[in-house]
Amino acid sequence: MYDLAALGAWAEFAVRWLHVITAIAWIGSSFYFIALDLGLHRDRNLSSGADGEEWQVHGGGFYHIQKYLVAPPGMPDGLIWHKWQSYWTWISGFALLVLVYYLGAEFYLIDPNVMDLTTWQAVGISLASLAFGWIVYTQLCRIFVDADQTVLMVALFAVLVGMAWFYTQVFSGRAALLHLGAFTATLMSGNVFFVIIPNQKIVVADLMAGRTPDAKYGKIAKQRSTHNNYLTLPVIFLMLSNHYPLSFASDWNWVIASLVFLMGVTIRHWFNTHHARKGNPHWTWGVTALLFIAIVWLSTAPMAQREAAVVTRFAQADGFETVHEIVQGRCSMCHAAEPAWSGLLWAPKGVVLETPADLSLNALAVYLQSGISHAMPPANLSYMEDDERAAIVAWYRAATGG
């Protein structure tokens, strides 16, 4: 029987690959259309009745683009709907959430020192929080649809800060930031699926029936599209954060996440202003740099050290002392608080393997990287033997009952 852990690792790799591909497609098209919309020349009296136009050159060809504020006089053939990039980004992201955090809840989702949850309790909180986020966000958008949109953005930021704090009170640090990213991405994909595309379909249906479309549908869709524009960069940061312990393994991780949303606003404000030909507000880069410096400081601020309850099970499994000696001899020269290997200033990916607790907390990574595969040590520079890899496999399977 093929090793289930290996199958799981390959399934995760495949879904992660799909997630990255679809996210690139969605973010790319989103950024392009935001820049296009802001940069349209609207000071020209176009015979077509379009709201604005722009000429672009790319790939050796010229493109003449026009935008209709509500809809063109007649329905064009072959109308392209930009929606599946968003849908598949969310679908693949949720599948990855299931594969990594739901099926691996004991390792990645639950930290008994934060909240002692069963797997089903943790998964239930995760799912409920995503639904809760969409409901609250939708109500805020309806309440503030005719108000100053800056007020709505402040209200949304307050919700995101509240969720950042909430997630750090129930999940592991790694899972907390990842969930905040999933929470935000759910709002973004929900905007496309529940609001933007349905509103566009109403406009198309009215146009085909000979009715004049109501401009309110475009206004509402524009509101949600603007939110997606400002939320994209923070979501990318939060999705990458699980690879960088300095971002999530801190008592201030919820503050770090909150500041990331502000950085998303300052960065996008510069690009939006630039594309709209309203100047280049370089002060935004100064603010962004200060926010990032604050994040770096918070990541290393004094914190209470935690160890997951899973340590005991792996430390008591048969073969633990042998494997600990192997890891000390073959891995810890790099995976240390102060690596002895020349050229390394910190442990690769922040994984430290110096103490028995370190080894227990990183048992799955050691098993996959050095047990059933030869990924570590890289190029086998420390000469890990086959019988040592076999000992790692036997110890991990003894601890997990595999």
Side-chain angles (χ1 to χ4, degrees):
M1 182 177 180
Y2 195 73
D3 197 305
L4 291 179
L7 285 174
W10 274 110
E12 177 189 332
F13 190 178
V15 175
R16 192 181 300 275
W17 189 26
L18 173 63
H19 187 53
V20 170
I21 292 170
T22 54
I24 289 172
W26 183 21
I27 294 168
S29 63
S30 174
F31 279 8
Y32 172 74
F33 278 106
I34 287 289
L36 174 64
D37 184 67
L38 291 171
L40 287 172
H41 292 281
R42 292 181 167 86
D43 54 349
R44 301 171 183 175
N45 186 18
L46 303 176
S47 59
S48 63
D51 175 56
E53 69 171 359
E54 186 169 72
W55 284 85
Q56 297 184 5
V57 60
H58 181 75
F62 292 87
Y63 297 81
H64 183 205
I65 305 164
Q66 294 186 337
K67 175 187 175 181
Y68 291 84
L69 193 59
V70 179
M75 178 54 57
D77 294 329
L79 184 63
I80 296 175
W81 295 81
H82 290 272
K83 58 182 181 180
W84 285 107
Q85 303 100 313
S86 169
Y87 298 167
W88 276 106
T89 299
W90 191 90
I91 292 170
S92 59
F94 183 75
L96 203 55
L97 183 67
V98 172
L99 286 172
V100 178
Y101 287 89
Y102 292 177
L103 297 183
E106 183 179 20
F107 292 100
Y108 301 119
L109 184 58
I110 301 169
D111 182 346
N113 292 296
V114 176
M115 184 172 287
D116 194 5
L117 301 168
T118 66
T119 296
W120 291 112
Q121 287 173 332
V123 171
I125 291 173
S126 171
L127 293 172
S129 70
L130 300 182
F132 166 80
W134 176 251
I135 293 171
V136 171
Y137 170 67
T138 299
Q139 292 304 313
L140 286 175
C141 288
R142 289 173 179 171
I143 292 171
F144 293 106
V145 66
D146 295 318
D148 184 345
Q149 292 304 293
T150 302
V151 176
L152 174 56
M153 292 293 281
V154 171
L156 176 57
F157 177 67
V159 170
L160 293 171
V161 172
M163 291 306 300
W165 180 84
F166 168 77
Y167 280 133
T168 59
Q169 303 307 302
V170 294
F171 295 144
S172 69
R174 183 194 302 268
L177 265 62
L178 190 284
H179 268 77
L180 185 60
F183 177 93
T184 310
T186 297
L187 304 186
M188 295 171 64
S189 287
N191 281 338
V192 177
F193 184 79
F194 292 111
V195 179
I196 297 173
I197 294 300
N199 283 13
Q200 289 177 339
K201 287 186 175 182
I202 291 173
V203 170
V204 169
D206 284 342
L207 188 64
M208 294 181 68
R211 299 186 296 267
T212 300
D214 192 330
K216 74 175 184 180
Y217 295 110
K219 177 182 177 181
I220 295 172
K222 178 72 173 180
Q223 176 198 59
R224 303 301 183 95
S225 180
T226 299
H227 294 168
N228 284 5
N229 175 33
Y230 283 103
L231 293 173
T232 299
L233 295 181
V235 167
I236 295 174
F237 181 100
L238 293 168
M239 293 307 179
L240 293 174
S241 69
N242 68 98
H243 299 288
Y244 296 91
L246 284 175
S247 66
F248 66 77
S250 163
D251 283 344
W252 303 105
N253 47 12
W254 69 275
V255 180
I256 289 173
S258 301
L259 294 180
V260 167
F261 282 103
L262 295 180
M263 284 202 302
V265 171
T266 56
I267 293 172
R268 287 308 300 165
H269 180 70
W270 188 92
F271 281 100
N272 291 342
T273 305
H274 173 75
H275 290 144
R277 302 186 184 91
K278 295 181 179 180
N280 300 301
H282 296 306
W283 61 266
T284 59
W285 295 111
V287 174
T288 302
L290 290 175
L291 289 170
F292 190 73
I293 290 171
I295 287 172
V296 172
W297 180 81
L298 286 169
S299 71
T300 56
M303 59 178 286
Q305 298 295 322
R306 298 186 180 120
E307 289 186 356
V310 71
V311 168
T312 301
R313 178 158 60 90
F314 281 98
Q316 293 179 349
D318 290 340
F320 175 77
E321 292 183 1
T322 299
V323 172
H324 185 244
E325 291 178 1
I326 293 170
V327 170
Q328 287 290 295
R330 308 298 190 187
C331 310
S332 62
M333 69 283 291
C334 295
H335 291 281
E338 296 182 4
W341 194 272
S342 178
L344 285 180
L345 300 179
W346 51 76
K349 292 191 174 182
V351 176
V352 175
L353 297 173
E354 293 183 301
T355 68
D358 293 336
L359 174 58
S360 297
L361 289 170
N362 293 283
L364 179 60
V366 172
Y367 172 65
L368 291 175
Q369 300 283 339
S370 300
I372 63 172
S373 78
H374 290 193
M376 288 291 161
N380 203 22
L381 292 174
S382 59
Y383 305 104
M384 183 177 287
E385 302 290 344
D386 288 343
D387 61 336
E388 293 175 324
R389 297 185 189 278
I392 291 172
V393 171
W395 161 69
Y396 180 85
R397 290 178 177 174
T400 59

